Each structure stands twice: as C-alpha cells, then as structure tokens.
C-alpha cells in the first residue's frame, strides 16, 4: 500500500494536514507571511567528516542567500540553523529535537552520514516534520524507514558503487578486496559493488572492516597485500578515505593492484594531496568541470567562487 502513494498524494496529505491545523485561517495566513522560514541543518561539523559537512553548509548558506535575495517566498525570508551532530546518532536525535521544539524549524535538511540520518528521520517522523536527507544511503529509501515526511536527495550506494563496479571490473580484474568502514555506509557500498560484480563473475576475497574514524591502517595492509587482489575497494569516507588512501600509497599497494573508491570527493583529494590519490579511480556525485558543458553548473560554480573565494 505504501509503495502506491504518489508524490501528488503526499503533497495533498501534507497540505491537507496543514490546512486542518489552521484555526482561525486568516490569523495563520497573516502570521505566516511575516514569519521567517526556519530550516534545521544537523550535520557532523566535528569528527572525520567535518570537511565534507562544512562544504555542505557553505552550499546551503549560498542557497539561502539566493532565495532571500530573490525576495523569498511571498516576502518571507529563510534562515539556516546549523547544528553539530558530532557524527553520533544520539547527538543527532537530540539536536534535531531541539531544532523542532525549541527553534520551531519548518523542516529539516542534512545529516550527511548514514550513521545519523535514521535517528534524525525517526525524530522528524514522530514530530510530523519534513526531513530531506542528503546522505549516501540505501536505508533511508527502504519501507521500514518510510513515512510521508521522509525525503532523500542524493545518490545512494546501489547507484554509486554499482556504477564504479561496472566501470572497474572489466578494466582491472575480478578478484576483489574491500577495506570497509564498519557502519551502514560501508556495508551498503560493499553490498552494491558485489551485486554489480556478480553479474560479471567477480569474486570477493575478503571484506576487511575497520572502525569509523580509524587513523592507523597498518594492521590491515599486509593482509591486503598477501591476498593479492586485482582491485582494492575503499568503502569509507571523509578523513577515513584520506588516511587509508595515503597509507595504501605509502605501503606500495598501487604497484600490484588497482585501488578504487565508490565515492571520491574533491575535499578528500585536497586534504590527502595529489600523490595519495594518484591513480585511484572513483565516482563522484558532482564534478566542477561540468561547467564546461552545462550552463547551470557554471552558474553555481561562479556563485560559489564569488561567495567563498
């Protein structure tokens, strides 16, 4: 039954619920026209994903400025309320609850991490507040976490790791080792890579898991080398990806295997340096070079450069 609910039905339900709460209607309309539109933005400003989170905040602030400069919505301006989840599910739930009950946000956007998005979603579902997750995750799209208040704006591991697998395996080989961050994001990336690889006869030699926020990968590297895979897949993100890429490079793994990363962002390349990521293949949801052939990408890039030098 849930799968048959259309976007139009969702909108009608949300609009109908808002209208039912309007008593008296003219008073709410007058109040709404003068109120600021508050947008909650919980994201991991501290921890191993801090660089990526701060990048998201900058882009969100740019969007808010453009919205307000254009006159807002019927004269109503928007305000972004950023809160640090510290990459912790409990902290994320607490900050989200504060945004809803104390700050009276109209809706919530953010999370970045699959480690926090489900706790944010649970709070928003309970309080009947819209949540738009911008995390790479399959779980947020699954029926058990679905609600009329749940939205997802991002690629997911099925898309991302699947695309990278279909590119990599025919070019580099079928024997695969995964170095995986031990939480939802890493697990889902492995699952998607293996699903795509199965169609091409790929074999998993090992899925070597490490804790989120690992700084030293030296204990894992000799085992990876001994397994002698065709491809080493780094199923991690942020500072974890930077540290593992650098240490794999220093250990000399690139000479005997191809290293790929399902999600390879510009922030990681800046943090790790050119040498660490030389020769590593990966996928990305947005590449600034798109401005050469897509006008809207050029408009966005120019606005971002102007805002943040």
């Amino acid at each position: 039954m849930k799968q048959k609910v259309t976007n139009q039905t969702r909108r009608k339900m949300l609009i109908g619920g808002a209208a039912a709460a309007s008593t008296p209607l003219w008073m709410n309309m007058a109040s709404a026209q003068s109120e600021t539109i508050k947008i909650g933005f919980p994201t991991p400003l501290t921890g191993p994903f801090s660089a990526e989170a701060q990048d998201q905040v900058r882009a969100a602030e740019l969007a808010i400025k453009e919205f307000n400069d254009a006159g807002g919505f019927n004269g109503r301006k928007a305000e972004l309320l950023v809160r640090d989840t510290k990459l912790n599910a409990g902290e994320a739930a607490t900050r989200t609850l504060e945004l809803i009950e104390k700050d009276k946000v109209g809706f919530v956007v953010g999370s970045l991490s699959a480690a926090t998005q489900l706790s944010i979603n649970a709070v928003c579902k309970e309080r009947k507040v819209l949540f738009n997750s911008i995390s790479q995750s399959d779980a947020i799209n699954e029926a058990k976490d679905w609600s009329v208040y749940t939205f997802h704006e991002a690629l997911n591991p099925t898309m991302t790791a699947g695309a990278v697998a279909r590119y990599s395996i025919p070019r580099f080989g079928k024997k695969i080792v995964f170095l995986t961050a031990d939480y939802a994001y890493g697990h889902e990336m492995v699952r998607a890579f293996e699903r795509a690889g199965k169609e091409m006869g790929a074999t998993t030699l090992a899925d070597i898991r490490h804790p989120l926020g690992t700084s030293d990968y030296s204990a894992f590297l000799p085992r990876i080398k001994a397994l002698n895979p065709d491809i080493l897949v780094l199923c991690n993100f942020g500072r974890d990806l930077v540290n593992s890429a650098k240490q794999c490079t220093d250990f000399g793994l690139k000479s005997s295997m191809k290293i790929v990363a399902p999600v390879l962002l510009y922030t990681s390349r800046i943090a790790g340096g050119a040498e660490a990521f030389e020769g590593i293949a990966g996928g990305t949801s947005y590449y600034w070079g798109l401005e050469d052939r897509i006008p809207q990408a050029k408009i966005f890039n120019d606005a971002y450069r102007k805002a943040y030098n």
Side-chain angles (χ1 to χ4, degrees), residues 25 30 41 48 71 114 180-181 206 209 234 241 257 297-298 309:
L25 180 59
F41 200 93
T180 307
R209 299 186 173 185
L234 303 180
L241 176 59
M257 64 195 70
K298 180 71 162 60
N309 194 27

Side-chain angles (χ1 to χ4, degrees), residues 38 127-128 149 217:
K38 294 183 178 180
R127 296 302 191 277
K128 296 180 169 59
Y149 305 100
Y217 292 83

